[in-house]
Amino acid sequence: MTKTPRFPLSQTASRRIVVAAFGAAVACAAAPIAGASAEETIIAISFPNASTIGAVVTEIEGAKKKGAEMGYKVVVDDPSTDLNKQINTIKTWTEQKVGAIVCDALQPAAFESVAKQARAAGVKWITYGEKLENQDATVGYAQYADGHTLGEYAGSWIAGKPGFKAKVVILGYQKGVWGQLRGKGIKEGLLAKAPNVDIVAEQDAISPTEGLNVTRSILQAHPDANVILGVEDPATEGAYKAWIASGKDKADPNAFIGGMDGTAPALKLLKEGGTVYRASMAIPLVAVGEAMITTADALIKGRKPGDDIVPLELVTEKSPKAEEYLMQQGEK
């Protein structure tokens, strides 16, 4: 998912807030689990930009609701992009001996030692969307397989057009393992169905601005490019704007744009249909939020559930799934 920065709090202020949050959490835990201490009924989620990215907000709300149903208080910290703040908050949670920590680790290697310390203190550790050496489980996605599904769909669309010469652009993210896996999946899925396509450009872009600027440059160099696939919908939303801004037909029957994550703008285009934006691999947001809690619950109770991998779902033009996922995000 695209990361949107916000103003970071000072570490001192952050610590006061976290401590206050714990006090409130303990006070408000309405249905303590039999035999569990107050701290064990707390599941703490550290998620950069959790309060600013609509899709993540939906996930977290799903986690809170599921937690309340199961007798847990879910505490959430949004460190924005401040790595030190994120680590300091997690250390505070470890000192408090919460039941479990769910961490979206943007730089996985930086969290190995804090995860080790947490587990040594008896806190269960769940990594979101990544894997650490020191963890109890991952809640996340099959990045390669989900990318492969998008690539296959685009390849089948190309193969269904006899004589069509596909000039493909792939918007990836080589700086992150997840981006590498998604990009590789997209490329190999595409070639599995349409082995003769010409991939004219592969560049990093994950935000709307990056997608707009990168695609604009690519279309200047390759004006006949007609298929654009991205590892993030925000980037392909930018690509769609670049496509229109370059004077191309937004409903060109011989063009294809598709991305991943199922953001609201992408889903709105798919719900309406009739544009070159033809597919997205959508995250079942509520299911992911619930998986954070059910996995933590199993670990706290001494079971070893293993990783919980939630598959993304292919959403295409005018699919009822577009509206379903929009409603999950509070959109229409």
Side-chain angles (χ1 to χ4, degrees):
M1 294 178 182
T2 305
K3 308 305 179 186
T4 306
R6 67 178 179 85
F7 291 111
L9 297 174
S10 69
Q11 293 179 10
T12 302
S14 171
R15 184 176 293 270
R16 284 201 298 268
I17 291 171
V18 170
V19 171
F22 273 109
V26 172
C28 296
I33 298 170
S37 69
E39 288 75 14
E40 287 178 323
T41 66
I42 297 174
I43 297 173
I45 300 175
S46 176
F47 208 121
N49 301 309
S51 61
T52 58
I53 299 176
V56 181
V57 170
T58 302
E59 282 185 1
I60 298 300
E61 289 303 313
K64 287 180 176 178
K65 182 178 179 182
K66 189 67 177 180
E69 291 173 357
M70 300 182 71
Y72 291 99
K73 181 70 177 182
V74 178
V75 177
V76 181
D77 180 60
D78 177 356
S80 185
T81 55
D82 189 334
L83 179 62
N84 288 331
K85 177 182 182 298
Q86 185 175 18
I87 289 175
N88 286 335
T89 300
I90 289 171
K91 286 181 177 178
T92 302
W93 286 339
T94 298
E95 292 170 0
Q96 295 284 336
K97 297 186 184 299
V98 300
I101 293 173
V102 181
C103 178
D104 178 21
L106 296 183
Q107 299 179 35
F111 289 86
E112 288 288 2
S113 62
V114 290
K116 186 176 182 179
Q117 291 169 13
R119 296 178 74 202
V123 178
K124 304 303 180 185
W125 182 281
I126 298 168
T127 313
Y128 178 92
E130 292 281 359
K131 277 188 176 293
L132 302 182
E133 290 292 328
N134 294 287
Q135 69 170 38
D136 294 290
T138 288
V139 170
Y141 315 105
Q143 309 284 20
Y144 172 84
D146 292 332
H148 198 276
T149 298
L150 176 63
E152 280 188 326
Y153 182 73
S156 296
W157 181 87
I158 293 167
K161 289 179 166 296
F164 179 66
K165 294 183 178 179
K167 303 286 186 180
V168 180
V169 174
I170 295 178
L171 302 179
Y173 189 66
Q174 290 299 308
K175 296 176 183 176
V177 174
W178 65 269
Q180 295 169 14
L181 292 171
R182 283 188 176 190
K184 183 179 180 183
I186 288 173
K187 189 173 181 178
E188 294 184 357
L190 173 71
L191 295 174
K193 296 294 184 180
N196 296 321
V197 300
D198 183 7
I199 299 176
V200 298
E202 295 181 71
Q203 290 192 32
D204 277 10
I206 57 172
S207 72
T209 301
E210 290 170 347
L212 173 65
N213 293 335
V214 168
T215 304
R216 183 163 50 197
S217 297
I218 291 174
L219 289 177
Q220 289 172 351
H222 303 281
D224 56 349
N226 49 21
V227 176
I228 303 171
L229 302 172
V231 299
E232 285 279 345
D233 273 317
T236 41
E237 291 160 16
Y240 177 72
K241 291 180 179 177
W243 178 270
I244 295 172
S246 68
K248 295 180 180 295
D249 182 1
K250 71 175 184 180
D252 187 343
N254 292 313
F256 185 113
I257 295 178
M260 300 184 68
D261 279 352
T263 57
L267 292 172
K268 288 179 180 177
L269 286 170
L270 294 172
K271 178 185 175 183
E272 181 180 347
T275 77
V276 297
Y277 211 105
R278 301 187 186 279
S280 173
M281 293 298 293
I283 297 174
L285 299 169
V286 175
V288 174
E290 292 178 348
M292 295 180 192
I293 304 306
T294 55
T295 303
D297 172 68
L299 290 168
I300 291 169
K301 291 178 178 174
R303 301 193 297 270
K304 295 183 178 180
D307 296 343
D308 196 337
I309 304 302
V310 182
L312 274 58
E313 187 166 10
L314 178 65
V315 179
T316 57
E317 292 177 274
K318 297 186 177 181
S319 165
K321 289 291 180 182
E323 184 167 10
E324 177 183 328
Y325 285 116
L326 279 170
M327 290 179 65
Q328 282 193 5
Q329 298 182 45
E331 301 275 355
K332 294 182 179 178

